[in-house]
Amino acid sequence: MDFSYTSEQEAFRSRLRDWLKQNSAGVFGPHYEKLPRSVAGVFDVGDDASWERVLEWHRRLYQAGYIALGWPKEWGGGGAGPVEQAIYQDEVLRLGLPLYGANMVAIDRVGPTLILMGSDEQRRRYLPKMLTAEEIWCQGYSEPNAGSDLASLETRALLEGDYFVVNGQKVWTSFGHRAHWQVLLARTDPTAPKHRGISYLLVDMRSPGITVRPLRQMTGDSGFCEVFYDNVRVPKQNLVGELNAGWQVSIATLMYERISGGTRYPVDSTLAELIELTKTIAFAGGPATGHAYVRQKLAQLAIEVMCLKLSRYRSLTVALKGRMPGPESSFGKLFATELSLRVAMFADELLGLHCGLELGSLGAVEKGRWAHRTLAARAATIGGGSSEIQHNIIGERVLGLPKG
Ligand SMILES: Cc1cc2nc3c(=O)[nH]c(=O)nc-3n(C[C@H](O)[C@H](O)[C@H](O)COP(=O)(O)OP(=O)(O)OC[C@H]3O[C@@H](n4cnc5c(N)ncnc54)[C@H](O)[C@@H]3O)c2cc1C
């Protein structure tokens, strides 16, 4: 593993850093670092005004050529190598800004899946508007009775002539209320064994028969939704891959989600902010930074942040050697999200009763953003496959342990 960057890579970082500095203040305001941003970049999109800012941020990233850095140039991406992509992630997350602009689901996973497994017609139709964020995407996988055991899904899409007719319900659909399009996993052959009768469809969210209901989370935000389908007609040409072979397509999307799951949380900068916080508060009757327990905990978290970084470099080495990451991408997702939670929980412990004050409350430390983070951080350990499921994948498919 070589830890040094070439002069071109250093020049790329410095251009990007300047660009981010000039543009982020224009969109998010000079005090963006004081917002509960760990959430803004991940699942939640906030109120309409915040969403407009994220859209504007997306447009600027697109115009500057930073959206979809890793997509091939042929499909409008940056064609950048893994090192440039990692530099981009480091610099954007250092400022706590949204990595994929406004279209995380599209840029991070649906676009790459279409590039890999879609038809040319589908790529030509959908990819350009993903890049410009003219069309926002969401992912319709989970259902009330199918989450970790996704293959148990019951939403049906039965072929009638040139259309699939969809009936059923999805839940926890991030960006559902902002999205124009959805990738939908639905059962197209109810008689086949459960992994075999599923197809992967592209659904226009404005189709008659779709009802979207935002859900309110414990943070108070509404980042995801329930989606209901009542005889929704989806043209046959919106099928990706073969009929009844959608499981393989869905795994590609999930794999992209898990790879980025190890990289898209700004744990590094959150810890740096926590260290700054400890300089301003008291703990057990004295300055927090002078307390051995606080110092020990911060040192431990700093070690873990470094481990996360090194494990990212290990994945990067795999990518540089041209190999596709496999089930080991679960490790990054598991470690990054659990570490984010540990950092937030320690802030919670340090702030004690102050952490009971919600965002914006009078008397809340730093406007209550730490309490908000603690609540939001848990969600990341569930979305994209819960920590328990990642443990199972690592145990069974990476370490080769017997199935429990
Ligand atoms: C912030 C957020 C955003 C999300 N966005 C989307 C989205 O955009 N689209 C979408 O389709 N879904 C989305 N989800 C849903 C997410 O994929 C599911 O919540 C997740 O897969 C878990 O499914 P479940 O909620 O049904 O829990 P369940 O599967 O019912 O699990 C309940 C508990 O049992 C444990 N468990 C289940 N099976 C096992 C097992 N075999 N071994 C050990 N433990 C097990 C789980 O770890 C969990 O603790 C999102 C979730 C969150 C939190």
Side-chain angles (χ1 to χ4, degrees):
M1 203 185 279
D2 181 0
F3 290 100
S4 50
Y5 294 98
T6 64
S7 52
E8 288 82 18
Q9 288 160 353
E10 288 296 3
F12 171 76
R13 183 190 297 279
S14 132
R15 273 197 312 276
L16 173 62
R17 207 173 261 196
D18 288 346
W19 186 90
L20 289 170
K21 202 169 161 193
Q22 279 162 20
N23 285 274
S24 61
V27 179
F28 296 106
H31 302 299
Y32 184 62
E33 75 278 8
K34 294 293 173 207
L35 297 175
R37 67 201 192 193
S38 57
V39 189
V42 188
F43 293 114
D44 284 304
V45 292
D47 56 18
D48 288 350
S50 319
W51 177 241
E52 276 310 313
R53 281 197 291 272
V54 179
L55 277 175
E56 171 58 18
W57 177 240
H58 188 113
R59 286 190 278 267
R60 289 195 191 202
L61 284 173
Y62 173 70
Q63 277 153 14
Y66 290 125
I67 276 290
L69 262 190
W71 288 19
K73 285 202 162 144
E74 182 192 358
W75 296 113
V83 176
E84 283 75 15
Q85 291 177 60
I87 292 174
Y88 171 81
Q89 285 163 3
D90 281 348
E91 293 301 317
V92 174
L93 290 182
R94 203 170 54 82
L95 299 173
L97 297 166
L99 268 182
Y100 306 99
N103 222 355
M104 178 173 80
V105 174
I107 304 296
D108 178 37
R109 31 201 119 123
V110 182
T113 306
L114 289 186
I115 291 170
L116 197 68
M117 302 172 119
S119 66
D120 264 357
E121 198 188 332
Q122 288 167 343
R123 294 180 189 127
R124 271 195 298 274
R125 161 63 187 85
Y126 298 109
L127 298 178
K129 289 190 177 180
M130 289 181 181
L131 292 167
T132 55
E134 283 167 90
E135 289 176 347
I136 301 296
W137 285 72
C138 65
Q139 188 175 350
Y141 277 27
S142 308
E143 297 183 2
N145 294 316
S148 303
D149 182 14
L150 185 58
S152 295
L153 60 90
E154 290 168 359
T155 294
R156 289 192 180 193
L158 300 181
L159 201 49
E160 289 180 14
D162 287 338
Y163 289 87
F164 291 96
V165 178
V166 182
N167 282 287
Q169 185 201 338
K170 295 288 169 180
V171 71
W172 318 128
T173 312
S174 304
F175 306 98
H177 56 319
R178 306 282 180 192
H180 305 96
W181 284 88
Q182 178 182 64
V183 285
L184 176 76
L185 269 194
R187 192 159 297 287
T188 36
D189 181 356
T191 61
K194 63 180 187 177
H195 289 86
R196 299 225 185 103
I198 292 173
S199 298
Y200 189 102
L201 304 176
L202 309 176
V203 176
D204 188 336
M205 291 294 279
R206 295 147 294 189
S207 310
I210 293 190
T211 307
V212 179
R213 283 197 211 141
L215 292 163
R216 197 168 156 83
Q217 293 141 236
M218 64 179 171
T219 52
D221 303 316
S222 294
F224 49 31
C225 308
E226 294 176 296
V227 182
F228 299 87
Y229 310 81
D230 180 11
N231 287 318
V232 177
R233 288 163 74 78
V234 178
K236 206 168 145 186
Q237 67 264 29
N238 292 15
L239 171 72
V240 180
E242 300 289 317
L243 183 67
N244 297 324
W247 188 250
Q248 286 75 5
V249 188
S250 76
I251 294 298
T253 307
L254 266 181
M255 200 188 65
Y256 287 118
E257 183 172 4
R258 285 176 191 162
I259 295 170
S260 73
T263 56
R264 64 170 183 256
Y265 300 98
V267 199
D268 210 338
S269 57
T270 310
L271 180 62
E273 287 169 29
L274 181 57
I275 294 171
E276 287 307 308
L277 175 74
T278 57
K279 294 178 185 164
T280 64
I281 57 170
F283 184 78
T289 39
H291 199 287
Y293 169 71
V294 175
R295 298 168 74 87
Q296 181 66 36
K297 281 286 279 199
L298 291 177
Q300 179 62 35
L301 290 170
I303 291 167
E304 292 175 23
V305 165
M306 182 51 87
C307 290
L308 178 64
K309 201 166 190 169
L310 293 177
S311 106
R312 268 186 58 204
Y313 288 166
R314 190 167 52 184
S315 312
L316 196 60
T317 309
V318 170
L320 281 171
K321 290 184 178 158
R323 295 203 299 264
M324 280 296 276
E328 72 276 7
S329 55
S330 284
F331 173 77
K333 195 272 172 186
L334 173 68
F335 195 67
T337 55
E338 290 286 337
L339 180 56
S340 284
L341 181 59
R342 282 197 290 282
V343 172
M345 297 285 281
F346 185 51
D348 194 48
E349 187 182 340
L350 287 174
L351 292 173
L353 286 176
H354 286 281
C355 248
L357 294 173
E358 66 179 15
L359 204 60
S361 298
L362 197 65
V365 174
E366 296 190 2
K367 296 187 184 155
R369 68 185 175 133
W370 289 99
H372 191 266
R373 268 177 178 159
T374 312
L375 295 177
R378 199 166 291 280
T381 67
I382 302 170
S386 68
S387 291
E388 289 76 16
I389 294 303
Q390 309 306 331
H391 277 125
N392 287 349
I393 294 172
I394 294 165
E396 289 164 17
R397 299 188 43 212
V398 182
L399 302 175
L401 299 176
K403 251 181 176 279

